């Protein structure tokens, strides 16, 4: 088991996760076994990573607990952008488009998202029709519409890629829009099928409330360029 003076990995029964004293005792025992300093009496333990081992009974939790100084975790706040801020046209309101919209706000740019499909709620009716009558709306289906492909899956967030920046920030942005904070520590986080559309809606509301625009039923059909710039 890996351990350090302010962080240690434990294997505990699930009940210990909601029992601070049991967790502390487990941390002290493990620290003693590893020959490192355990948490002091006034240290508050934080679970920073959690996974489950359900291969055999009893099911066990594997957690990394930390104590001591915590890295600052300020809630992300998206600034309002003025109408004359430079605007950025974003094609598609899938995960990439929605996050690009949030990032534009962070950079003081005004995002204008165009989405060929419908908003996430109206899209659900087209999915019901697809399943019931086998009629496919080419602009509003399992792949097209607000939230993009996978909006009606359970929203697995398994990637831990570090190649393109800090995943933690993306997860924090999802939490800021209603995802369960557990996704910040779970080894195999997912947003849940019922909650994912609400998170998508909340992201769109942030974009609109801060001066951006989201236009549905609006499809990019062509682009013209002039002097190295797209003009339409
Ligand atoms: C059934 C299913 C389940 C999935 N489950 C998961 C999962 O659990 N976890 C996970 O990480 N990934 C999952 N994925 C993959 C994930 O959905 C994709 O990686 C992700 O959606 C890609 O995001 P994107 O924004 O790049 O593209 P997309 O999600 O494809 O978004 C593109 C958006 O652009 C719009 N658009 C397309 N053309 C135009 C146009 N000409 N004009 C205007 N708008 C346009 C589309 O309507 C769409 O909303 C799943 C995919 C599917 C299909």
């Amino acid at each position: 088991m890996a351990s350090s003076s302010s962080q240690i990995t434990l294997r505990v029964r699930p009940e210990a996760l909601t029992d601070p004293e049991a967790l502390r005792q487990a941390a002290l025992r493990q620290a003693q076994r590893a020959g490192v300093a355990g948490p002091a009496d006034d240290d508050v333990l934080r679970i920073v990573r959690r996974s489950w081992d359900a291969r055999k009974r009893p099911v066990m939790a594997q957690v990394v607990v930390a104590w001591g100084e915590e890295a600052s975790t300020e809630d992300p706040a998206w600034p309002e952008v003025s109408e004359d801020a430079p605007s950025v046209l974003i094609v598609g309101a899938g995960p990439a488009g929605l996050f690009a919209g949030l990032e534009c706000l962070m950079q003081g740019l005004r995002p204008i998202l165009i989405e060929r499909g419908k908003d996430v709620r109206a899209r659900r009716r087209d999915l019901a029709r697809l399943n019931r009558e086998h009629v496919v709306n080419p602009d509003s289906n399992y792949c097209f519409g607000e939230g993009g492909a996978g909006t009606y899956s359970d929203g697995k967030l398994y990637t831990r890629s570090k190649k393109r920046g800090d995943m933690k920030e993306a997860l924090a942005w999802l939490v800021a829009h209603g995802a369960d904070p557990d996704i910040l520590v779970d080894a195999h986080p997912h947003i849940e099928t019922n909650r994912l559309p609400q998170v998508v809606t909340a992201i769109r509301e942030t974009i609109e409330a801060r001066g951006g625009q989201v236009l549905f039923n609006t499809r990019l059909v062509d682009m013209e360029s002039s002097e190295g710039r797209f003009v339409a």
Side-chain angles (χ1 to χ4, degrees):
M1 291 193 188
S3 57
S4 78
S5 58
S6 60
Q7 191 164 299
I8 202 163
T9 302
L10 306 173
R11 200 177 148 78
V12 292
R13 299 288 287 265
E15 309 84 82
L17 301 187
T18 50
D19 181 345
E21 193 44 38
L23 206 57
R24 170 182 300 280
Q25 291 305 325
L28 286 169
R29 280 194 302 275
Q30 179 57 22
Q32 197 176 22
R33 268 196 293 270
V36 296
D41 284 351
D42 56 350
D43 277 329
V44 177
L45 298 194
R46 309 182 297 280
I47 295 174
V48 294
R49 192 142 172 81
R50 175 179 50 207
S51 61
W52 300 98
D53 183 354
R55 287 172 296 182
K56 51 185 182 202
R57 308 230 162 239
V59 171
M60 298 295 281
Q62 175 141 320
V63 288
V64 178
V65 292
W67 59 92
E69 211 169 294
E70 190 176 1
S72 91
T73 51
E74 272 174 36
D75 281 344
W78 287 271
E80 201 157 330
V81 292
S82 62
E83 267 197 27
D84 53 6
S87 58
V88 177
L89 183 70
I90 298 170
V91 182
L98 291 168
F99 271 72
L102 292 177
E103 183 61 31
C104 280
L105 295 173
M106 285 291 194
Q107 304 291 333
L109 303 167
R110 195 161 74 88
I112 301 173
L113 276 81
I114 59 168
E115 166 55 57
R116 65 188 286 173
K118 301 179 184 175
D119 70 78
V120 76
R121 202 176 278 183
R123 191 178 163 191
R124 198 184 277 276
R125 285 193 282 276
D126 291 316
L127 295 184
R129 194 154 171 247
L130 193 159
N131 290 325
R132 210 176 38 238
E133 300 166 30
H134 304 163
V135 177
V136 180
N137 178 333
D139 292 313
S140 178
N141 48 57
Y142 276 104
C143 286
F144 293 161
E146 186 183 28
T151 300
Y152 294 95
S153 78
D154 67 343
K156 292 179 283 295
L157 302 164
Y158 293 1
T159 182
R160 281 293 178 266
S161 166
K162 295 192 173 72
K163 280 184 289 188
R164 294 185 181 84
D166 190 358
M167 264 300 292
K168 277 199 193 127
E169 187 179 42
L171 296 178
W173 286 14
L174 290 168
V175 170
H177 290 96
D180 192 322
D182 278 358
I183 66 171
L184 301 172
V185 296
D186 277 337
H188 291 100
H190 67 114
I191 295 190
E192 295 173 15
T193 317
N194 290 337
R195 202 181 284 203
L196 188 49
Q198 295 164 29
V199 171
V200 166
T201 302
I203 293 176
R204 183 224 313 153
E205 286 170 353
T206 293
I207 292 171
E208 291 176 330
R210 303 293 192 276
Q213 254 184 304
V214 183
L215 307 171
F216 294 111
N217 304 305
T218 307
R219 179 149 58 109
L220 180 78
V221 289
D222 204 357
M223 286 192 285
E224 273 177 32
S225 67
S226 163
E227 295 169 8
R229 290 168 61 97
F230 287 115
V231 292

